[in-house]
Structure formats: structure tokens, C-alpha cells
Amino acid sequence: MKAIRFHEYGDPTVLRHEDVDQPAPGAGQVLIRVAATSFNGVDGNIRAGFMQGPIPVTLPHIPGIDVSGTIAALGDEVTGLAVGDRVVGFLPMTGDGAAAEYVVAPAGILAPAPTGIDLVDAAALPTVGLTAWQALFDHAGLTRGQRVLINGAGGAVGGYAVQLARSAGAHVIATTSARTADRAKAAGADEVIDHTAVDPVDVVVNLAPIDPARLAALLDVIRPGGVLVNTTVWMPAPSDESRGVRGIDLFVRSDAGQLAHLTGLVDSGALRVEVAQRVPLAELPSVHAQAAAGTLPGKTVILV
């Protein structure tokens, strides 16, 4: 099969489009014929070698932690799934990914693909959708009527976070650059601003790679007893114990139940999947280069 792999860590030029052996599913696994994967920032960090401690991979490595596709074969001990099922999943980060014609996945991480959008576009959902859900509800415990500040709301995670927080009945304040402000407005933010000097909020979700001083300053806008959830895990979230403000670092985890809930929201029209561009598998190195240069236009789906 065709796949993109890197044999050593480095810049996007280490990515090679080449022939590799098709994998076979083991016990508890399925083989997926890949429709698409998507680019996530962590893909670039893994390729560059920045994540060798928390996310060790075996070289050569196939990137792509999101997958949408069709089940092609079942391993032993797999129940509840059938060949031909259309699925989505957030793959284990340390294993080979979905930048290939086929990928093996643990059966337990998969959810039915949404039926109301193209299967390829469904690859834009798993990692960023789960990150937004877990930040807001698993860690922040967001409830109706609360005020939430989403810092860096113009990105892929931010778009889902704004939609989910608004659907939960929260008052959503989004901070974005001028370039992405319209995206946050379209997602349903009650306020869109380019700064974080706001009236007190119950929850702050930080999605932006800001410096430690600016991250610490976010504590000042949180009410006593509130929560700061930080997704830039290389920079620990600060806390303010004197006011009972907790700082929580989020490292997204695969959760088939949550993903199935998200796909249900997509099918009901309550959650919109945004795709900025669709790029053929052979051009994945150019996507990594765009990301490194800071010129990606938004969520990018890789067509396989």
C-alpha cells in the first residue's frame, strides 16, 4: 500500500511517499481502509522529534492520528463491528497512523462515522472535537449559565469549543486574531475580542501557545473557585490557591463514547464540522510545511 512515513526526525522534507506492507489486524483490532486523515499540530511536533518523551514512536513512522474510513477486516475477539462499517477514530499516538491506504486500529476506540457529511470530512472531527469536549466538560465541568473565555478560539479546537459551550447554555467569550474573528462569530460566540481583559468568568480554556506570563495573567479574570484548562501541555497551567482557582493541563485521550456523542451532534445539526482544505496524501509534506510556516488556512483533511 502507499503511505507517508518518516525514517528520521526533522523538518517536513523527511516525509516520504512510499510503498509499505499492508498491516493485518490482531486480536481486538480492525483493519480500516482509510478515506482520510487530518493534520494536527501534534503531528508536526512528533515528526520534528519534540515529543520523543511523552509520545515515543518507532521509526519509520506513519503519521496521522485521526482516521475516517471503512472497516476492511476484523481481528479475533472483535464484536459489535462488521466489515463495511463506516467509522471514525482517534488513533493511539505511539502507533502508526492513517496517512496510508490502510491502518490497524483498536476496535474499542472507534465510533460510527456521521452520516450527514462526507466520510472524508469526518476525519476533521476526532482529535480536535474530543479536545474541546474534554476541556469544557471533563475538566472544567462547564454548566448552563456560566461564563467561559476561550483563548485562541479561531483555530480548529476553538471552533468546536465555541459551538459546544454555546450549546451547553454558557455565555461564550472568544479571543481571536483579526484573521479568525469571523470564524469564531460563525461558531456562535456571544463576544469576540482580541484581548483577555474581560469581566470575571467561571472558566478559561487556553488553546493558544502564549508565554508563561500571559498564561498566568489569565487567572486574574477567573472568579474564585473557577478553572483554567490549558491545552499547551509543555507549559504547566498555573493555579491560584488563595482564591481556589484550579489550573488543569489537558492531554486529550481517545474515548469512543464521547466521539459517538459528537458524531451524533453532527448528524443532528447541533455541531458543524469545518474543513478549510482537502489535500491528497502525496502532498502531506506541503501541509506540514504550511503548518511550520504558520500559513495553514484552517483544519486540513488529507485524502487517501
Side-chain angles (χ1 to χ4, degrees):
M1 67 175 185
K2 290 292 187 181
I4 294 284
R5 295 197 299 184
F6 56 90
H7 295 248
E8 62 278 331
Y9 297 111
D11 65 27
T13 62
V14 302
L15 294 166
R16 304 181 190 174
H17 189 220
E18 57 191 12
D19 291 312
V20 304
D21 292 337
Q22 181 177 308
Q29 298 179 324
V30 303
L31 179 68
I32 300 172
R33 182 178 178 87
V34 178
T37 185
S38 77
F39 178 83
N40 293 283
V42 70
D43 292 318
N45 290 329
I46 293 171
R47 183 217 70 238
F50 300 150
M51 306 295 286
Q52 293 181 58
I55 310 175
V57 300
T58 300
L59 300 179
H61 177 71
I62 301 173
I65 56 177
D66 286 321
V67 64
S68 66
T70 305
I71 294 178
L74 305 176
D76 293 338
E77 302 171 16
V78 173
T79 59
L81 294 170
V83 171
D85 285 353
R86 293 156 54 98
V87 294
V88 291
F90 169 28
L91 298 169
M93 290 189 180
T94 55
D96 275 336
E101 292 180 314
Y102 291 88
V103 68
V104 164
I109 71 163
L110 301 174
T115 59
I117 62 174
D118 288 344
L119 184 59
V120 295
D121 288 349
L125 176 65
T127 302
V128 289
L130 287 170
T131 300
W133 180 272
Q134 291 168 18
L136 292 170
F137 305 115
D138 286 2
H139 297 292
L142 186 71
T143 58
R144 179 172 296 276
Q146 289 189 316
R147 289 168 53 85
V148 56
L149 172 66
I150 300 172
N151 189 43
V157 176
Y160 289 114
V162 170
Q163 292 183 73
L164 291 169
R166 182 67 184 273
S167 293
H171 181 87
V172 183
I173 306 163
T175 66
T176 73
S177 66
R179 181 173 61 88
T180 59
D182 287 344
R183 194 179 304 163
K185 291 176 184 176
D190 295 287
E191 303 176 47
V192 179
I193 56 180
D194 62 358
H195 56 83
T196 55
V198 298
D199 291 336
V201 300
D202 303 284
V203 172
V204 170
V205 175
N206 178 57
L207 307 172
I210 56 179
D211 62 54
R214 289 181 63 197
L215 183 63
L218 291 174
L219 294 173
D220 296 337
V221 304
I222 303 174
R223 291 170 174 155
V227 181
L228 166 62
V229 180
N230 178 45
T231 64
T232 55
V233 294
W234 59 88
M235 182 171 54
S239 299
D240 185 346
E241 295 181 3
S242 67
R243 297 191 303 119
V245 177
R246 296 176 294 132
I248 299 172
D249 294 308
L250 183 150
F251 199 88
V252 63
R253 59 184 175 82
S254 190
D255 188 302
Q258 290 179 354
L259 185 54
H261 181 70
L262 292 173
T263 63
L265 292 176
V266 172
D267 280 337
S268 72
L271 187 64
R272 188 174 65 255
V273 173
E274 295 285 349
V275 175
Q277 63 176 349
R278 300 166 185 84
V279 176
L281 177 64
E283 297 177 20
L284 180 58
S286 69
V287 174
H288 278 244
Q290 280 184 293
T295 58
L296 270 184
K299 191 63 174 174
T300 298
V301 164
I302 311 303
L303 306 176
V304 180

